Amino acid sequence: MKVLFCSSEVVPYAKTGGLADVAGSLPVYLKKLKIDIRVCLPKYSCVKEKGQKALMAGVVPVHFIENDAYFKREQLYGTKAGDFPDNLERFSFFSKAVLELLKKENFKPDVIHCNDWQTALIPVYLKAIYKDDPFYSGIKTVFTIHNMAYQGVFAKDEYPKLGLGWEYFNIEGFEFYDKVNFMKAGLIFSDFITTVSPTYAKEIQTPEFGCKLEGVLSKRKENLAGILNGIDYDEWNPNFSSPQGKVKNKLALQKERGLPQKADVPLLGVVGRLAHQKGFDLLAEKIDKICAMDVQFVLLGTGDQAIENVLQGIAKKHPKNTSISLKFDAVLAKKIYASSDLLLMPSRYEPCGLGQLISLRYGTIPVVRKTGGLADTITDENGFVFENADSNELLEAIKKALAVYKNKKAWSAMVKKAMEYDFSWGNSAKEYVKLYKRV
Ligand code: ADP
């Protein structure tokens, strides 16, 4: 079985979110299951040769699509000021180049596994442009949705740049409220659709979560499945084995972040994109109450300017027990997962969520909203779950967690249990193999 795995971001080369983690780890596990797999991504400026060698040594060949005009940039999709204006061209070019590469390399995959809107044109081009070329005949496509909110929507007058006839610009194709929608076309033209958790697979067929594509998804529900993401257990590998072993990480992080070094103060961690989705505004609403409870609060995130401003205000108001870092920093992220007592994920929606899985690995107990992949992975046994995107419910869940934290024996048992869960790729990778065979 030959598979080409396409993604606009792949760890360790380029990352803005969970997609990169998935693309950098799932293929390695698929390779272990005897899938002849290759990975393809654009060669951005941040792609370093060093990282390249690291993954090549990990036996999955990686192809980089190079085009300086489109990809020689530090950011992947845009800057704080907004998306790059030529994203339609950049990622339609990428999709075509991927298909051309296959022929050039004489690698004919049984399945091309596409991820998110940046690669959604691959199934379309395959069926529209390459359908009569025998090299491409029989190649099937799987399209994985990592987040319905990012669809790749562009103005209609850009459509001709795709090199496709207007016969594909209709309600059964690209057309989306008189605009061009990459993800919509990908959902229609791919042979099978997956998303990253069983609950999110159901949720996206409803108006609340479907981002106006719930109808398209419902129509394809026979060919839509949720497969839970895993994490790379070598990458996220605790430097301790018993709950007590965590304390040295905590003291080190407190020191590094300029917080009083106290082993017994509960440390609440947050890592994530600062977007409305993540519900950090709910946290901000209650931060005065939280800080009044003798806790420490460490946050790492970057994104929405308005949310960053609020967080800066919090840092000023509560300097003694908060540490707010507004940047992207993989090393600090790992320290927070490995040192905190609780990880807060009050997401409004969460396709899968990796933070809670990484946390469990380090015996850090997640406090999550019951949605998407959070609902599929966190229960009363390994975390604290609240129902609605409501700051009072979040505060109650934190209070409940802190009450258990005070009972050393109960807490230690919960941490131990959390560390015993297995959310590595083992099981989910097997599900992908089954799916590739079915397709
Ligand atoms: P999403 O893909 O919606 O951003 P996920 O939970 O699926 O959310 O994945 C987020 C990934 O990005 C995790 O590996 C997380 O540690 C990482 N991450 C998010 N924000 C930052 C940041 N500011 N610095 C470092 N890593 C981050």
Side-chain angles (χ1 to χ4, degrees):
M1 168 78 65
K2 288 193 184 127
V3 174
L4 182 76
F5 193 96
C6 299
S7 172
S8 58
E9 46 185 278
V10 180
V11 165
Y13 311 108
K15 167 167 172 173
T16 70
L19 167 61
D21 292 301
V22 173
S25 53
L26 171 59
V28 177
Y29 282 76
L30 289 168
K31 184 85 189 186
K32 287 184 197 161
L33 296 173
K34 306 271 181 284
I35 300 289
D36 180 3
I37 190 160
R38 299 188 182 194
V39 173
C40 196
L41 78 155
K43 188 165 184 197
Y44 312 102
S45 302
C46 57
V47 172
K48 299 285 182 292
E49 293 296 317
K50 218 173 119 216
Q52 183 173 335
K53 286 205 184 90
L55 203 77
M56 294 289 269
V59 298
V60 175
V62 182
H63 294 283
F64 297 94
I65 301 295
E66 196 167 343
N67 178 317
D68 286 355
Y70 288 146
F71 302 126
K72 205 170 175 188
R73 304 176 192 183
E74 279 308 321
Q75 288 86 4
L76 276 56
Y77 315 123
T79 62
K80 272 219 162 6
D83 291 343
F84 291 133
D86 57 352
N87 276 346
L88 173 136
E89 285 168 77
R90 297 172 75 225
F91 291 102
S92 58
F93 167 82
F94 176 66
S95 297
K96 245 186 230 166
V98 163
L99 290 167
E100 294 290 338
L101 167 91
L102 294 177
K103 201 167 182 178
K104 214 166 151 232
E105 289 284 313
N106 195 24
F107 179 75
K108 181 174 175 176
D110 298 289
V111 175
I112 303 179
H113 189 156
C114 306
N115 293 277
D116 277 352
W117 70 265
Q118 294 89 345
T119 55
L121 258 52
I122 293 172
V124 185
Y125 284 143
L126 203 55
K127 286 192 175 145
I129 297 180
Y130 295 90
K131 64 175 187 300
D132 298 324
D133 185 330
F135 178 83
Y136 297 92
S137 77
I139 298 179
K140 301 291 178 186
T141 51
V142 170
F143 181 78
T144 298
I145 301 163
H146 295 260
N147 194 330
M148 279 309 296
Y150 303 92
Q151 300 179 0
V153 176
F154 304 95
K156 183 178 174 179
D157 59 15
E158 285 207 73
Y159 181 78
K161 295 180 192 158
L162 300 183
L164 292 164
W166 284 100
E167 67 273 24
Y168 296 100
F169 188 83
N170 55 45
I171 208 72
E172 295 299 323
F174 284 94
E175 188 176 5
F176 180 75
Y177 301 93
D178 211 33
K179 288 187 168 153
V180 181
N181 187 323
F182 275 33
M183 185 187 272
K184 183 180 174 219
L187 294 177
I188 292 170
F189 281 79
S190 55
D191 294 301
F192 201 95
I193 303 164
T194 73
T195 187
V196 290
S197 70
T199 293
Y200 196 58
K202 286 189 210 130
E203 287 174 339
I204 57 178
Q205 295 178 55
T206 68
E208 192 186 346
F209 297 96
C211 302
K212 297 198 163 74
L213 291 180
E214 59 275 7
V216 177
L217 288 160
S218 299
K219 256 195 185 166
R220 296 220 56 197
K221 65 168 183 278
E222 302 304 322
N223 292 298
L224 165 64
I227 301 179
L228 198 65
N229 280 341
I231 55 167
D232 183 344
Y233 268 37
D234 295 326
E235 158 85 19
W236 306 104
N237 196 3
N239 55 347
F240 56 91
S241 51
S242 74
Q244 291 72 28
K246 240 179 112 89
V247 174
K248 63 176 186 299
N249 289 348
K250 183 168 165 180
L251 294 171
L253 183 68
Q254 287 169 330
K255 187 172 180 198
E256 179 182 323
R257 301 312 311 155
L259 294 166
Q261 279 182 286
K262 293 184 189 167
D264 283 336
V265 176
L267 183 62
L268 279 50
V270 170
V271 178
R273 284 185 299 113
L274 302 178
H276 184 69
Q277 170 196 346
K278 302 289 177 183
F280 296 142
D281 51 314
L282 304 177
L283 202 55
E285 268 178 47
K286 296 294 177 196
I287 199 73
D288 292 344
K289 289 211 163 92
I290 293 170
C291 286
M293 290 191 292
D294 192 28
V295 300
Q296 292 178 344
F297 181 74
V298 178
L299 179 143
L300 168 66
T302 175
D304 190 288
Q305 192 62 54
I307 304 177
E308 290 197 357
N309 294 344
V310 170
L311 291 170
Q312 260 159 348
I314 289 171
K316 262 198 200 133
K317 198 167 166 194
H318 301 284
K320 287 209 183 81
N321 49 353
T322 65
S323 153
I324 310 274
S325 309
L326 302 175
K327 57 179 176 175
F328 195 93
D329 181 339
V331 175
L332 180 56
K334 192 175 259 182
K335 287 178 184 168
I336 294 175
Y337 291 123
S339 315
S340 302
D341 296 299
L342 297 174
L343 184 92
L344 311 180
M345 293 182 77
S347 304
R348 289 200 162 75
Y349 70 92
E350 196 59 80
C352 176
L354 297 176
Q356 83 280 21
L357 306 181
I358 299 169
S359 288
L360 290 177
R361 178 90 166 123
Y362 292 96
T364 300
I365 303 298
V367 176
V368 307
R369 158 127 200 271
K370 191 175 184 179
T371 182
L374 298 173
D376 290 334
T377 55
I378 305 302
T379 63
D380 293 346
E381 210 174 61
N382 60 5
F384 296 86
V385 184
F386 61 100
E387 198 74 32
N388 299 298
D390 176 302
S391 64
N392 290 318
E393 290 192 24
L394 166 65
L395 184 62
E396 284 314 305
I398 293 174
K399 281 184 183 165
K400 235 167 114 183
L402 293 176
V404 180
Y405 181 84
K406 279 206 181 106
N407 177 342
K408 280 215 158 59
K409 217 171 144 198
W411 188 257
S412 186
M414 193 167 183
V415 169
K416 191 165 174 277
K417 181 128 214 156
M419 290 180 77
E420 282 163 9
Y421 275 77
D422 182 0
F423 285 111
S424 68
W425 271 110
N427 294 328
S428 296
K430 279 185 202 140
E431 284 197 52
Y432 277 109
V433 173
K434 253 193 243 159
L435 172 67
Y436 295 153
K437 288 185 176 154
R438 173 177 163 189
V439 165

